[in-house]
Amino acid sequence: MDAAVHIRAARWTDKDPAATLIAAALHPTPLAAWLVPDPALRRRVLTDVAAIWVEHAMFYGDIHLTDDLSAATVGFHRYRPIPPPANYRHRLTDAAGPYTDRFDQLDTLLSEPRPTEPHYHLAFLAVHPDARDAGRATAMLTHHRRRLDRIDLPSWADTTTDAHTLYTRHGYTARPAITLPDGPTLQPMRRNPDRRGAVPINAARPADHRRQDLNA
C-alpha cells in the first residue's frame, strides 16, 4: 500500500462518498447481480441501500476510510441488540423498489448465524475496483484487527467465497457457507481476538471503554 495513504475515522461528510464506494466495490460481483438483476438500476439501488447502513453505522458502529477514499470498513458495535435503521422499511422500499424482497432475504440469511455474545460486526470491507491489488484490503483488515485486539473483542464478517483466503490470513475462520436461492455462495467468518494485544477494560463501564477504543 502507498505509504502516503493512511486510514482515518470517517466524518459525517464522508457518508455519501462511503456509500458510493461500497456500491462501486459491490457492483461487479455476483452478489450485486443477484440483488439487483437489472444492470441499468444496479448501481443506483446499491448506492441508496448502502447509504442507509452507512448512516446507521455512524450511530451504532464506526467507519474507517483511506484518505483517498479508495477503501473503507463499515461495522457495528453489537455489544447488545441494536435497533434497525430509522424508518428502515420505508427507506429500503424506496431505495430498492422491486428488489426489496431480495435485500430482506439477504438480511435474514446473514443474521441467523451471527453470534449472540458481544462482538464487532464487520459489515463491509470495500475497495474501489480501480484500487484492487494495491494492498488496500490487507491494510484495512490489519487496522481493523489491531483495534479489536486492544479491547479483546471477537469479530464477525460476511464475505464472498473468493475473499476467504484474505480473511483467513487475518485470523478469521470459516463458518457454514450460505448459498442464496439461485444465487452466489457467501462465507460467514469469525475471528477471536489475540489476547496478547488486549488492554484492561474497566468492568464497571465496559461499553464506554469499548466505544472509545473502537473509535480511536
Side-chain angles (χ1 to χ4, degrees), residues 79-91:
Y79 312 137
R80 59 182 64 86
I82 63 176
N87 302 314
Y88 180 61
R89 174 52 46 195
H90 173 77
R91 295 173 69 188

Side-chain angles (χ1 to χ4, degrees), residues 50-74:
I52 298 172
W53 291 104
V54 167
E55 178 184 299
H56 199 48
M58 292 282 186
F59 295 101
Y60 294 99
D62 56 60
I63 300 170
H64 284 78
L65 300 158
T66 56
D67 258 359
D68 61 359
L69 300 178
S70 64
T73 55
V74 178

Side-chain angles (χ1 to χ4, degrees), residues 4-214:
V5 176
H6 73 278
I7 299 166
R8 61 175 175 81
R11 298 179 288 269
W12 184 256
T13 54
D14 294 313
K15 181 165 59 75
D16 290 341
T20 300
L21 170 59
I22 291 169
L26 187 59
H27 187 268
T29 67
L31 175 59
W34 183 86
L35 285 168
V36 188
D38 186 345
L41 297 177
R42 189 172 301 149
R43 189 177 294 272
R44 191 272 299 167
V45 171
L46 294 174
T47 303
D48 290 351
V49 174
I52 298 172
W53 291 104
V54 167
E55 178 184 299
H56 199 48
M58 292 282 186
F59 295 101
Y60 294 99
D62 56 60
I63 300 170
H64 284 78
L65 300 158
T66 56
D67 258 359
D68 61 359
L69 300 178
S70 64
T73 55
V74 178
F76 295 93
H77 305 165
R78 295 192 179 274
Y79 312 137
R80 59 182 64 86
I82 63 176
N87 302 314
Y88 180 61
R89 174 52 46 195
H90 173 77
R91 295 173 69 188
L92 179 62
T93 301
D94 188 54
Y99 306 115
T100 300
D101 287 348
R102 296 203 172 209
F103 284 91
D104 277 337
Q105 191 170 20
L106 178 65
D107 288 345
T108 298
L109 290 173
L110 293 182
S111 64
E112 287 175 353
R114 199 171 292 149
T116 56
E117 79 266 29
H119 67 283
Y120 183 99
H121 175 206
L122 178 58
F124 299 103
L125 168 61
V127 177
H128 195 281
D130 293 342
R132 296 275 167 84
D133 303 318
R136 299 293 197 270
T138 295
M140 297 303 293
L141 278 178
T142 299
H143 179 262
H144 174 69
R145 181 189 68 211
R146 288 172 179 166
R147 291 167 54 230
L148 294 187
D149 285 347
R150 287 172 55 196
I151 58 171
D152 196 27
L153 197 68
S155 179
W156 184 268
D158 305 307
T159 76
T160 56
T161 52
D162 60 357
H164 176 273
T165 301
L166 172 66
Y167 280 80
T168 299
R169 288 203 305 266
H170 287 82
Y172 285 82
T173 57
R175 311 302 294 172
I178 298 170
T179 300
L180 300 173
D182 300 317
T185 298
L186 302 180
Q187 184 66 71
M189 301 191 77
R190 177 186 173 117
R191 180 183 183 273
N192 291 323
D194 181 350
R195 290 181 168 82
R196 293 172 297 179
V199 295
I201 294 175
N202 184 344
R205 301 182 62 191
D208 289 344
H209 279 251
R210 286 173 176 172
R211 287 195 187 97
Q212 179 180 348
D213 286 338
L214 276 171

